[in-house]
Amino acid sequence: MRAGGHQYRVGVGDELEIDRVMTSVGDSLQLEPILVVKDGVITHDEKSLSSTPVTAEVLAHTKGKKIRIMKFKNKTGYRKRQGHRQQHTKVRVTAIGK
C-alpha cells in the first residue's frame, strides 16, 4: 500500500501511522495498492490493482516524536535551534479488495 510517499506492507486488521490525512476520525479512506499477494499469486499489474482498493478507517490524529535541529557556525557566534513534530494519522486496514 502507498500513502504519503511511503510504502507499507499491510493485512486486514493492521494498525499503522501514516502521514497526516485531512479526514475526520471514524471516516474511511481508500489507499492505493502497489502489490497484492493472495494464495501465493503475486499481482502487480495496474489494471488488476485499480479494482483492488485498500480501505482503511481513521482512528486518531497524532504527533510524532519531537526532533531538534541545531545549526552552529564556528567563531561567528551564530547558533540557531529549531524543533519539529511530524503530524500522523493512525489508521486500521478494514478491507483489501471489494
Side-chain angles (χ1 to χ4, degrees):
M1 165 190 97
R2 181 188 337 230
H6 299 280
Q7 297 178 6
Y8 302 95
R9 181 178 179 179
V10 298
V12 176
D14 289 351
E15 292 182 7
L16 63 138
E17 286 190 348
I18 60 174
D19 286 341
R20 185 63 160 274
V21 180
M22 298 312 255
T23 57
S24 301
V25 175
D27 288 350
S28 64
L29 57 115
Q30 301 286 327
L31 299 168
E32 177 183 351
I34 298 170
L35 179 83
V36 175
V37 178
K38 184 174 182 181
D39 299 328
V41 178
I42 299 171
T43 305
H44 57 82
D45 181 37
E46 286 187 36
K47 290 182 181 180
S48 304
L49 293 177
S50 64
S51 64
T52 313
V54 176
T55 307
E57 176 188 1
V58 176
L59 301 177
H61 296 293
T62 60
K63 288 185 177 182
K65 183 179 175 184
K66 183 155 189 159
I67 61 169
R68 300 197 188 280
I69 300 114
M70 184 72 184
K71 293 183 180 183
F72 174 80
K73 292 193 178 177
N74 197 12
K75 300 177 190 164
T76 61
Y78 174 76
R79 283 184 277 186
K80 182 177 180 183
R81 186 170 61 188
Q82 183 178 353
H84 176 75
R85 288 184 76 179
Q86 184 68 32
Q87 302 209 4
H88 297 289
T89 299
K90 187 171 184 178
V91 296
R92 178 186 301 129
V93 177
T94 56
I96 298 175
K98 293 181 180 179

